[in-house]
């Protein structure tokens, strides 16, 4: 059975998409980011907890503060990207569960009363949402450059609070002509899938 999704959309989202390391100077608008979020918010998470939080870094002052917390190899491309997003996990996501998961209003206390349990769940589910976010950026015709090479504690102190844990930083924009490295190899189906 073949995929239902149009082949051009498959190419846009997966086969032709690359991690971008450089971008044109075309701005990324708030409307584009809103459209991306309004699409990817429908991706599933456990108990519909949706712990991902997005901090958009737009001002030159904020950009300069962020760049200081990045690994050396990530600084120049982040300084030049049209938009940068800090993706974090909200460890207090359970406060929204009654509204987000009305089918089981007791979920907050039954499963997430303890902070370490919330942190593990928030990290896993926000990372899942971060992957949806990258695909959403591609769906908007833009390119994403997700990075984990940064001082997480420094970024948290500079931009977030004790209840939010930074997961990744994503540079966003229209890719420049030389934006990406050649496609790296992938594991085959038989290397990955086991039937029991």
């Amino acid at each position: 059975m073949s995929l239902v999704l149009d082949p051009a959309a498959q190419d846009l989202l997966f086969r032709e998409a690359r991690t971008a390391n450089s971008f044109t100077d075309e701005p990324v608008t708030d409307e584009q980011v809103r459209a991306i979020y309004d699409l990817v918010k429908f991706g599933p998470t456990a108990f519909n907890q949706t712990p991902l939080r997005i901090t958009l870094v737009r001002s030159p002052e904020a950009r300069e503060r962020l760049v200081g917390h990045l690994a050396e190899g990530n600084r120049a491309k982040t300084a030049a990207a049209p938009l940068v997003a800090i993706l974090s996990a909200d460890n207090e996501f359970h406060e929204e569960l009654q509204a987000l998961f009305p089918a089981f209003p007791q979920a907050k206390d039954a499963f997430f009363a303890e902070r370490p349990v919330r942190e593990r769940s928030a990290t896993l589910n926000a990372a899942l949402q971060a992957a949806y976010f990258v695909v959403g950026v591609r769906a908007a015709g833009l390119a994403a450059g997700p990075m984990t090479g940064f001082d997480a504690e420094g970024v948290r102190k500079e931009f977030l609070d004790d209840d939010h844990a930074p997961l990744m930083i994503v540079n966003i924009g229209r890719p420049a002509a030389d934006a990406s490295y050649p496609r790296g190899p992938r594991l085959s189906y038989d290397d990955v899938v086991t039937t029991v």
Side-chain angles (χ1 to χ4, degrees):
M1 179 175 167
S2 63
L3 298 173
V4 174
L5 188 65
D6 178 77
Q10 294 173 38
D11 288 343
L12 176 71
L13 300 177
F14 297 101
R15 286 190 289 262
E16 298 300 323
R18 302 285 191 279
T19 295
N21 293 298
S22 60
F23 301 90
T24 70
D25 59 1
E26 182 180 334
V28 177
T29 67
D30 288 336
E31 292 77 18
Q32 288 172 301
V33 177
R34 181 177 296 276
I36 290 165
Y37 178 74
D38 285 342
L39 174 65
V40 303
K41 70 182 178 184
F42 294 109
T45 56
F47 295 96
N48 197 36
Q49 65 187 251
T50 61
L52 181 71
R53 300 297 179 262
I54 304 165
T55 303
L56 300 178
V57 181
R58 286 204 181 274
S59 74
E61 298 80 18
R63 184 78 59 103
E64 186 175 335
R65 291 178 10 234
L66 176 62
V67 166
H69 296 289
L70 301 180
E72 184 64 39
N74 292 333
R75 291 179 180 175
K77 60 187 172 184
T78 300
L83 179 63
V84 181
I86 301 169
L87 304 187
S88 62
D90 181 357
N91 292 312
E92 296 297 308
F93 69 86
H94 68 307
E95 297 297 342
E96 306 291 337
L97 273 184
Q98 202 162 19
L100 292 173
F101 199 63
F104 185 34
Q106 303 86 357
K108 172 186 172 183
D109 296 321
F111 295 104
F112 301 110
E114 296 178 17
R115 176 75 179 228
V117 173
R118 288 197 308 275
E119 288 178 355
R120 285 191 300 273
S121 190
T123 298
L124 174 64
N125 286 279
L128 183 61
Q129 287 187 281
Y132 303 144
F133 182 80
V134 169
V135 173
V137 167
R138 294 171 175 180
L142 301 170
M147 303 172 294
T148 56
F150 62 93
D151 171 11
E153 184 60 15
V155 169
R156 187 193 61 73
K157 286 180 179 178
E158 190 82 43
F159 294 96
L160 306 170
D161 60 32
D162 289 341
D163 292 328
H164 294 79
L167 299 173
M168 70 179 64
I169 295 168
V170 183
N171 296 329
I172 304 168
R174 296 242 180 247
D178 61 348
S180 303
Y181 300 117
R183 167 77 76 195
R186 298 295 192 266
L187 295 174
S188 73
Y189 177 89
D190 293 330
D191 292 330
V192 174
V193 178
T194 302
T195 302
V196 295

